[in-house]
Amino acid sequence: MTTILQLEGLGKQLHPPDGPWLFRDFSASVAEPLIISILGKSGQGKSTLLRILGRLTAPDRGSMRLQGRDVSQWTPEAWRMTVSYVAQQPVMLPGSVEDNLRAAAFLHQRSFDLTQARQWMEQIGLDHLDWNSGAQQLSGGEKQRLALIRTLLLRPAVLLLDEVTSSLDSISKQATERLLVDLHAHSGTTILWVTHDWEEARTTSQQIWFMADGRLLEDADSRTFFDSPRTEEARAFLRSSHLLAESLEGIR
């Protein structure tokens, strides 16, 4: 079976050519469809890694292969249709809610799946929206979910998610998580998901990429990572995450 995604020695400098490295020597492969959570403290380059994988930012070192073909063998457009990125801060295109939903189909000359769009909008609690209303007038959480559906309608093989549930209330967050887990289960979509919510990672992901000290320190299945992390850095990260979660629960 052809490897879905292969990364060899990826690196990004803060100020090339002589500046410090944000991360380097990042090597990993995705041999089968998985949901992979990318964890680590802020400042490790997790979002930058996603932007590199989406060909929105160029690496300063290393190579990428998608479905057995080097990145140089793909046009940027074909790559981005196959590996699609959803940003933490969603950008609404000018026009209405419907204009935004139809944008991907229009740009890539595909038919628009109205039935699927309505189903997904309902599933994540956006069925109340007037499709003729301006997308710019939506709340932050509504924009985030609309941007996600807009990208899902491309039906990418690999989905890159940058903290897409961080601005959502608990009900919307759970509905979005269910949609993504269902999508993976039924269509075999590979999902690379940057999150600071360790509980979200534990319940949705099969694999964990843990970044620390400018490197990929752990690449492990989720149960192994959360039950018996290999490195002290990962153990310290999980301890601090547990303490933070407990303190937030106490505030509530």
Side-chain angles (χ1 to χ4, degrees), residues 129-168:
L129 292 183
D130 178 359
W131 283 29
N132 294 314
S133 63
Q136 299 288 352
Q137 307 307 313
L138 301 178
S139 70
E142 288 170 339
K143 288 178 180 177
Q144 185 64 76
R145 285 174 285 165
L146 181 61
L148 175 62
I149 298 301
R150 183 177 63 193
T151 301
L152 293 185
L153 288 167
L154 271 176
R155 300 188 181 277
V158 180
L159 186 61
L160 309 174
L161 304 178
D162 193 356
E163 296 193 61
V164 296
T165 62
S166 61
S167 64
L168 303 183

Side-chain angles (χ1 to χ4, degrees), residues 5-234:
L5 190 65
Q6 187 168 2
L7 315 176
E8 291 288 344
L10 286 182
K12 186 66 179 178
Q13 282 181 289
L14 293 174
H15 304 288
D18 301 318
W21 290 87
L22 179 60
F23 63 84
R24 63 193 305 176
D25 300 326
F26 191 110
S27 296
S29 63
V30 183
E32 60 181 322
L34 293 171
I35 300 179
I36 301 173
S37 283
I38 305 174
L39 301 180
K41 295 180 180 178
S42 297
Q44 295 300 317
K46 302 183 299 295
S47 295
T48 300
L49 174 66
L50 283 196
R51 290 182 60 81
I52 289 172
L53 299 183
R55 292 189 68 175
L56 301 171
T57 298
D60 294 308
R61 178 180 293 176
S63 63
M64 302 187 292
R65 297 181 69 84
L66 174 62
Q67 297 173 352
R69 297 161 56 197
D70 186 77
V71 63
S72 61
Q73 298 178 282
W74 293 79
T75 65
E77 294 76 16
W79 181 284
R80 291 173 190 147
M81 285 178 63
T82 308
V83 182
S84 298
Y85 170 78
V86 184
Q88 181 181 4
Q89 299 296 329
V91 175
M92 293 290 98
L93 301 174
S96 67
V97 169
E98 183 170 0
D99 291 334
N100 273 263
L101 288 171
R102 290 182 176 273
F106 174 78
L107 290 173
H108 296 285
Q109 299 181 339
R110 291 183 172 185
S111 60
F112 176 63
D113 191 337
L114 177 62
T115 301
Q116 183 65 85
R118 285 177 172 163
Q119 179 182 329
W120 280 337
M121 292 283 278
E122 180 179 1
Q123 189 169 348
I124 59 174
L126 294 180
D127 49 317
H128 66 282
L129 292 183
D130 178 359
W131 283 29
N132 294 314
S133 63
Q136 299 288 352
Q137 307 307 313
L138 301 178
S139 70
E142 288 170 339
K143 288 178 180 177
Q144 185 64 76
R145 285 174 285 165
L146 181 61
L148 175 62
I149 298 301
R150 183 177 63 193
T151 301
L152 293 185
L153 288 167
L154 271 176
R155 300 188 181 277
V158 180
L159 186 61
L160 309 174
L161 304 178
D162 193 356
E163 296 193 61
V164 296
T165 62
S166 61
S167 64
L168 303 183
D169 61 79
S170 60
I171 294 176
S172 299
K173 178 176 180 292
Q174 291 169 14
T176 301
E177 290 170 352
R178 284 195 299 270
L179 169 63
L180 292 167
V181 170
D182 289 348
L183 177 73
H184 164 74
H186 294 123
S187 67
T189 304
T190 291
I191 301 176
L192 303 182
W193 193 336
V194 168
T195 178
H196 284 284
D197 185 336
W198 66 270
E199 183 63 21
E200 179 174 71
R202 189 182 66 81
T203 58
T204 62
S205 305
Q206 297 109 358
Q207 193 82 4
I208 301 294
W209 290 353
F210 174 69
M211 297 178 69
D213 298 332
R215 294 173 294 155
L216 175 64
L217 280 192
E218 299 211 22
D219 179 359
D221 69 83
S222 295
R223 177 172 295 181
T224 298
F225 178 81
F226 286 106
D227 289 349
S228 53
R230 181 175 52 84
T231 62
E232 176 53 36
E233 290 87 347

